[in-house]
Amino acid sequence: MKSLKLIPIILIVLSVALTACRQRRTFEPAPIITTTRKVTERQTVAMSEFKVFGTQMGMSIEQVQKIIGENAGLLLSENGQCYFAIEKDNLEFVNKGVKSTVYFIFDLYANLCEIQYETSEGTGFNLEQAIKRFDGLYGRHVKSESGENDNYIWYSKGDYILITLTSDGKDAITYFGEDYFKQNYPEEYKAFNKKGA
């Protein structure tokens, strides 16, 4: 008896299921979301004509490493600039055979903006000889005082050249790209560019 009562219920469930299967439903496709990496082109930078160790300000890290034949590991300065350092001998104003550390410094776009190495009286630096040589190559210099340091500044073919005398005797020869120098060393830039006024 009980099984006979269940038959109408089973039939109702089956008819509902069959009716649902016969109805056509419209399915809306889910939106397809794709993520693509933003492609950016490398900033085009004009390189200076001036060459230091075969490199020019504005070159990329890869270009500089290829030219100097060194694949030195990159380091990060406190202000977020990439740089690398190599040991080099036979540098100007350094005694023959003495190795000095040469720093290749890059701006925030990873373009070469500064090259620097240290020298001192003990390693062969002579200020008078250096000034005479650079005046002969790049024209008359301008002297600028910055704190306890004295800077002797020249300009040639898109680069600024500095000889810096420090109070502790660790003097430096530095080459700067023009825009970088103007932005980061405004006092020295003004001092040099006032000379014609």
Side-chain angles (χ1 to χ4, degrees), residues 48-173:
S48 67
E49 292 178 45
F50 193 83
K51 290 189 178 183
V52 184
F53 309 123
T55 67
Q56 294 164 269
M57 297 301 162
M59 285 184 164
S60 70
I61 294 167
E62 297 80 15
Q63 288 172 315
V64 171
Q65 289 184 335
K66 186 176 179 182
I67 286 171
I68 63 172
E70 296 268 355
N71 207 4
L74 290 176
L75 301 167
L76 203 59
S77 70
E78 289 176 6
N79 63 351
Q81 283 182 267
C82 285
Y83 71 96
F84 67 84
I86 62 168
E87 293 293 312
K88 196 160 176 52
D89 60 0
N90 299 325
L91 296 169
E92 208 161 20
F93 315 118
V94 178
N95 289 334
K96 242 185 171 133
V98 174
K99 287 196 173 194
S100 292
T101 303
V102 180
Y103 296 92
F104 292 84
I105 302 161
F106 299 84
D107 64 20
L108 299 177
Y109 299 101
N111 297 311
L112 183 64
C113 62
E114 181 179 347
I115 297 173
Q116 183 182 84
Y117 65 91
E118 195 178 285
T119 186
S120 67
E121 278 186 30
T123 60
F125 180 71
N126 179 296
L127 180 61
E128 289 75 28
Q129 287 177 356
I131 288 174
K132 186 176 179 183
R133 172 142 173 76
F134 278 7
D135 277 355
L137 290 171
Y138 313 122
R140 192 146 175 80
H141 69 279
V142 168
K143 183 180 177 185
S144 165
E145 293 180 10
S146 174
E148 294 181 18
N149 300 338
D150 288 336
N151 292 307
Y152 297 83
I153 311 165
W154 291 265
Y155 177 81
S156 179
K157 299 179 181 178
D159 283 8
Y160 281 86
I161 302 106
L162 259 73
I163 293 177
T164 303
L165 301 183
T166 64
S167 57
D168 62 4
K170 293 181 179 177
D171 306 320
I173 312 294

Side-chain angles (χ1 to χ4, degrees), residues 5-22:
K5 286 184 182 177
L6 284 176
I7 291 176
I9 295 171
I10 291 172
L11 288 173
I12 292 171
V13 170
L14 278 173
S15 71
V16 169
L18 288 172
T19 307
C21 287
R22 282 189 221 139

